[in-house]
Amino acid sequence: MSLSFPVDTVLAILQRFPRPADELEQQALARLKTLDAQEADSLWEQLCLRVLLNPVYLEALWPDACSQHPEMRQLIQRLKERLWVPDAREQAENDSAQWVLEQGDAGQHDTLMQRLLSYLKNGNPNGGAPFAFLARYYTWRDVVVTQLVAPERTELTDRIFGLLDMQNKQWGKPYCGGYAYQGYARVGIAGVKPTEERLEGYGFMPWLNGDMSVLEIGCNNGFMAIELAGRAGIVDAVEYNPFLVEIGRITAEALALDNVSFQVADFSNWMPARRYDVVLSFANHCTIDGNLAVEFESFVAKLWGLTQDGGWLLFESHNVFGAGTGAAGDDGDLDRKFDIMECYFELQDSKMTRAFVPSHDIDKLFVVLRRRPQVLASVQRSMNLGEARKRYAYQGEPFSC
Ligand SMILES: C[S@@+](CC[C@H](N)C(=O)[O-])C[C@H]1O[C@@H](n2cnc3c(N)ncnc32)[C@H](O)[C@@H]1O
């Protein structure tokens, strides 16, 4: 088999929506610029085999071709069916070698690779359904980055995309067009919200220590919980969507972490077995998927009950620029919500944090709070949303103690 790596096109694609803080991506860019031709072509061949013979990637990267062309459907069916038949997987791959050779040729008009790269290089990220472009863009980015500089991560990445695919088929309302909401540079997943960079912005990581217990509510695919477990004593994470929880579990296992545990649960019914020093509620108090819609005071009261005496609540808003009508995802009424919140927790500080994919996501308000020893019946609220949503830095040093 002989295929040629379209280095310039792949570089141009990676540079369209760069993640300068992502070390693996930087390594991938550097490697692309220094690859010799033979090495490059061998890598391209491996990459083509990896995506063109994997039904999950075929459907994620070429959704239209897969749904419109009967021969693609047949190929996907054949690959899925033969996967488990002894020796048949190899046979299927051999049978498809010529097809991979044809479709992996990005220099030929109308091959799968030529169409994909042209779309990712020139396509409108805001065209079509929300995240339709970006889901494909970042899936491709993750495949390329892991193939180039983290071959030891390709198996994990492929399993993660396999779980996202199951989620998309079996779960009603996936976030981000079915792509990963939380990213994790450490394992080669860009995500819509890159965990390490996001945590850097909140500024509390250096303050966490091995004596602290942490609870994350609605932990999504668990990457943030896993990163926190690198500093905290223990991290418990609760999430309703079982496919996302499984991603967290396999990633924690791959990283050999044993102080993070995941529970599939509806937070409204979940009964905690303990209280925590730090509780995280990030974009979770009324979710746009409609799966969490408890009355705000009930939600806050439960957070108070889950937090240790003197413990901390780290809270991220939904859309603080919303109309404040009380709809899911609308925190334009955060002042009213904080009339309640501050009866339970004392406001320490807050700052706005920027969205990583601005036209698809919004800047969020991050709030640091401390549990009150007793719940107050009423309170003079400190939160002033009009002021808070203009400020992109803390006023003080909330994590200095
Ligand atoms: C907007 S996302 C925020 C994810 C995560 N907290 C973050 O900020 O990265 C909301 C998350 O809450 C989860 N979720 C929705 N309803 C839930 C429920 N009833 N119990 C637990 N998690 C829920 C969703 O599956 C999703 O992962």
Side-chain angles (χ1 to χ4, degrees), residues 75 308 321 355 369 395:
L75 171 77
Q308 286 282 15
F321 303 101
L369 300 123
Q395 289 181 298

Side-chain angles (χ1 to χ4, degrees), residues 150-225:
E152 73 288 358
R153 292 280 183 241
T154 54
E155 190 191 333
L156 176 64
T157 315
D158 294 354
R159 288 179 69 200
I160 289 171
F161 278 104
L163 284 160
L164 287 173
D165 178 66
M166 284 168 72
Q167 170 204 233
N168 297 340
K169 292 184 173 128
Q170 297 174 47
W171 191 256
K173 301 152 193 156
Y175 285 80
C176 310
Y179 176 66
Y181 181 93
Q182 292 181 356
Y184 204 10
R186 187 174 175 194
V187 300
I189 304 285
V192 168
K193 290 178 180 288
T195 291
E196 295 98 323
E197 210 180 332
R198 189 176 172 199
L199 285 171
E200 175 83 26
Y202 299 143
F204 66 83
M205 280 299 271
W207 160 87
L208 282 183
N209 66 57
D211 293 330
M212 288 177 173
S213 55
V214 177
L215 171 69
E216 188 186 359
I217 298 158
C219 69
N220 199 258
N221 53 21
F223 294 155
M224 174 138 38

Side-chain angles (χ1 to χ4, degrees), residues 175 181-182 193 198 216-220 224 238-241 244 265-268 282-284 287 289 291-292 316 318:
Y175 285 80
Y181 181 93
Q182 292 181 356
K193 290 178 180 288
R198 189 176 172 199
E216 188 186 359
I217 298 158
C219 69
N220 199 258
M224 174 138 38
V238 180
E239 165 62 52
Y240 192 47
N241 178 330
L244 299 178
D266 175 348
F267 179 69
S268 7
F282 288 6
N284 246 107
T287 58
D289 58 15
N291 289 333
L292 188 56
E316 192 193 67
H318 296 292

Side-chain angles (χ1 to χ4, degrees), residues 1-113:
M1 183 182 289
S2 162
L3 283 167
S4 171
F5 199 138
V7 172
D8 291 343
T9 310
V10 172
L11 259 176
I13 292 169
L14 289 187
Q15 287 164 338
R16 258 195 102 179
F17 303 104
R19 290 276 170 85
D22 185 314
E23 276 177 35
L24 277 189
E25 185 171 304
Q26 297 317 304
Q27 288 169 23
L29 288 169
R31 178 139 201 243
L32 266 179
K33 290 173 189 162
T34 53
L35 275 175
D36 70 46
Q38 206 180 349
E39 208 184 356
D41 295 349
S42 155
L43 269 167
W44 185 252
E45 186 179 304
Q46 289 161 31
L47 189 149
C48 286
L49 288 167
R50 180 173 169 210
V51 296
L52 291 171
L53 292 178
N54 182 332
V56 166
Y57 287 129
L58 284 171
E59 289 182 323
L61 294 170
W62 294 277
D64 297 341
C66 289
S67 63
Q68 286 160 13
H69 296 296
E71 57 282 20
M72 286 287 286
R73 292 240 62 80
Q74 277 168 15
L75 171 77
I76 287 169
Q77 200 52 37
R78 224 174 38 239
L79 287 168
K80 282 182 184 165
E81 279 171 7
R82 288 204 189 176
L83 181 62
W84 302 108
V85 181
D87 300 330
R89 172 84 200 170
E90 206 181 323
Q91 185 63 42
E93 289 179 358
N94 288 339
D95 292 352
S96 306
Q98 181 59 29
W99 183 81
V100 172
L101 194 61
E102 286 160 17
Q103 299 301 327
D105 188 342
Q108 284 296 324
H109 179 64
D110 218 23
T111 62
L112 286 180
M113 277 300 182

Side-chain angles (χ1 to χ4, degrees), residues 117-139:
L117 297 195
S118 163
Y119 172 71
L120 298 179
K121 189 170 167 218
N122 308 308
N124 174 6
N126 300 318
F131 288 105
F133 177 88
L134 286 182
R136 286 168 78 184
Y137 178 89
Y138 284 122
T139 301

